Amino acid sequence: MTRENQTRRRFLAGSAATLSSLSLLPGGAGAQATAHTIAVVNATGDGPAKYRFSVDGEVEKTTDTGGAPRTFASLDDDDTLSDATAEGRVYGGADAYRFTGEVTNWVVEGGAAVYVDGDAVDPDEFPTSSVLAITGNGEYTFAVDGSVEKTTLTGGADLPPASLNDADDVDGGAVSGSVFGGTDAYVVDGAVTDFDLDDGLTGYLDGTVYTGPADGRGDTGDDADGDSGSQSAPELTFPDCTSVQITGTFESASLELLVEDDDPETTPMEQVYEYDNADGATDTTVTVPDGEFGPYQVVEAASVTYGDGEETRATNPDADACREKTFPAVRDVEFLDCTGVRVAGAFEELSIEVLVQDDAPQTTPMEEVYTVEGDGTEETTVSVPDGEFGPYQVAERATVVYPDGEQLDVANPSADSCRDETFPET
């Protein structure tokens, strides 16, 4: 997992000295050559400054910092030397090493400042490796197509210190182990080809949650844009009744619509408008063209695909209001009983023709009209008040006038039976 944006400059490139692979041992083949000193100092004093570096020559621990700001380096059991690789942590002082050859790899965490022969250097300018850390409770396996080694570093993640124990197995590029309340970590060079964790475990790659090769970060520990971490779901918002705004990287979008026309026998209909983000836009508004499926359209929900086939979906929170605003109002008149009607659609005026009878047969039946003005309500129930015109009343017909001039005239289909049950016998 060599980071592509690291400059592959050798450790002392540009300096007057060029190190060759010389032995530090007395009497060795390069005994007359001068070794150099690396000192790692905790520059911030906040927590341990952790480091790991490798050379292509020899390396050994020393108490001499080679002219770094701290003149004395400690010899701690926390620091390890394995072949030509040194790893350790500095709490408040300094660690120092004598080495020959060239530094081939650097990994630094925390507030570590690095000095070579007393001169400050920037380890970020040199080749580095990724750190894969696993924490929680459970067992795990993973594989890489390069090299992998145990480490106490955590890749910058805020985790319990990583342990080194024999219970975890590294066989070439294949690793298996278990964690129970702590952290295991590995320095990795190459692509992770397999990654399997128990549910109680969480993986971190270079300090960011890692779910496996499918998260798209390739063999560098970074995604295609150089940003660590798996791709987040795009954000979906609905600026109006026929559009969705998509913020974030995505591949395609599906807008779910409810469609009405002027034929009540065929509506409402459900339709889907598909959009392919061929241009790779990361902030775009997708609008359903006017009349795409019918004269009245409302986007009810939208879903997008992104990343490695992942999908996210959101519903339009204003769908009810959009339907009320967009769809044509349903207009209808229905008799509910012998004196009441239900009117659908906001109307201007309602007239109910009423046949009235009382206990004086010579004066009845009488025809009266009960009139009501609309108040803009989409659905209204109106009943002729008891005794409005007489003791016995039957609504015979209703006429509704709507604001656009449309008029509905409906007879009471139960008028005959209403008269029989309402009016007194002659």
Side-chain angles (χ1 to χ4, degrees):
M1 290 193 178
T2 303
R3 295 191 183 125
E4 294 175 350
N5 62 347
Q6 298 292 341
T7 303
R8 292 191 171 276
R9 185 176 61 156
R10 290 299 186 176
F11 197 83
L12 293 180
S15 69
T18 300
L19 300 184
S20 58
S21 299
L22 301 177
S23 171
L24 295 181
L25 301 178
Q32 295 181 1
T34 302
H36 292 260
T37 303
I38 289 179
V40 182
V41 177
N42 189 330
T44 64
D46 297 331
K50 295 177 281 187
Y51 61 90
R52 177 187 174 95
F53 69 91
S54 299
V55 300
D56 61 7
E58 301 282 347
V59 60
E60 66 181 11
K61 204 78 162 74
T62 180
T63 59
D64 180 11
T65 63
R70 291 186 179 271
T71 57
F72 179 80
S74 60
L75 298 175
D76 301 317
D77 293 336
D78 287 342
D79 308 323
T80 61
L81 279 173
S82 176
D83 296 328
T85 298
E87 182 174 308
R89 60 186 65 196
V90 182
Y91 290 88
D95 285 349
Y97 299 85
R98 288 200 305 154
F99 74 98
T100 59
E102 298 174 338
V103 172
T104 58
N105 189 276
W106 260 112
V107 181
V108 173
E109 299 175 6
V114 179
Y115 298 84
V116 175
D117 294 337
D119 295 326
V121 296
D122 184 2
D124 288 340
E125 295 182 0
F126 302 94
T128 189
S129 300
S130 286
V131 177
L132 181 59
I134 300 169
T135 189
N137 291 280
E139 298 182 346
Y140 61 87
T141 61
F142 70 89
V144 300
D145 62 5
S147 64
V148 56
E149 296 181 48
K150 282 282 278 183
T151 181
T152 60
L153 279 63
T154 60
D158 186 13
L159 301 174
S163 62
L164 300 174
N165 57 67
D166 296 334
D168 307 317
D169 182 62
V170 179
D171 183 9
V175 178
S176 62
S178 58
V179 183
F180 298 98
T183 303
D184 283 353
Y186 300 84
V187 173
V188 179
D189 286 294
V192 177
T193 57
D194 183 65
F195 193 67
D196 184 22
L197 306 184
D198 284 352
D199 290 341
L201 295 175
T202 302
Y204 293 83
L205 182 62
D206 294 329
T208 303
V209 172
Y210 179 69
T211 57
D215 82 350
R217 283 188 278 173
D219 63 356
T220 66
D222 299 328
D223 64 23
D225 295 325
D227 298 324
S228 296
S230 58
Q231 182 180 330
S232 58
E235 180 183 357
L236 307 181
T237 56
F238 297 84
D240 54 49
C241 296
T242 58
S243 303
V244 60
Q245 183 172 352
I246 308 171
T247 304
T249 303
F250 71 102
E251 296 175 2
S252 62
S254 299
L255 280 61
E256 304 167 25
L257 292 94
L258 196 64
V259 182
E260 283 256 17
D261 57 26
D262 294 312
D263 182 359
E265 298 298 323
T266 62
T267 57
M269 300 178 291
E270 295 179 351
Q271 299 287 350
V272 177
Y273 180 74
E274 302 287 354
Y275 177 84
D276 183 16
N277 188 22
D279 296 333
T282 57
D283 189 356
T284 188
T285 299
V286 180
T287 300
V288 181
D290 289 343
E292 178 75 8
F293 301 108
Y296 313 110
Q297 308 175 136
V298 170
V299 173
E300 299 276 317
S303 59
V304 299
T305 57
Y306 66 98
D308 189 22
E310 297 174 272
E311 182 176 290
T312 185
R313 183 177 184 274
T315 57
N316 184 355
D318 299 319
D320 289 342
C322 283
R323 287 191 294 269
E324 184 174 338
K325 178 175 69 174
T326 304
F327 293 165
V330 176
R331 293 176 173 180
D332 187 30
V333 179
E334 176 187 9
F335 281 86
L336 302 176
D337 52 35
C338 294
T339 59
V341 298
R342 180 189 64 83
V343 180
F347 63 89
E348 192 171 273
E349 184 180 83
L350 166 67
S351 298
I352 302 176
E353 299 176 17
V354 184
L355 193 64
V356 183
Q357 189 164 328
D358 59 23
D359 294 316
Q362 68 272 21
T363 63
T364 58
M366 299 178 293
E367 295 181 352
E368 300 285 353
V369 177
Y370 181 70
T371 303
V372 176
E373 292 185 358
D375 60 2
T377 304
E378 287 296 325
E379 184 171 297
T380 307
T381 299
V382 178
S383 292
V384 179
D386 291 343
E388 178 73 11
F389 302 109
Y392 313 110
Q393 306 174 134
V394 171
E396 299 276 323
R397 179 178 293 275
T399 302
V400 180
V401 179
Y402 290 96
D404 60 1
E406 181 182 0
Q407 180 174 304
L408 294 180
D409 189 8
V410 179
N412 184 352
S414 303
D416 290 342
S417 61
C418 282
R419 287 191 292 272
D420 289 342
E421 69 183 50
T422 303
F423 293 166
E425 294 183 5
T426 302

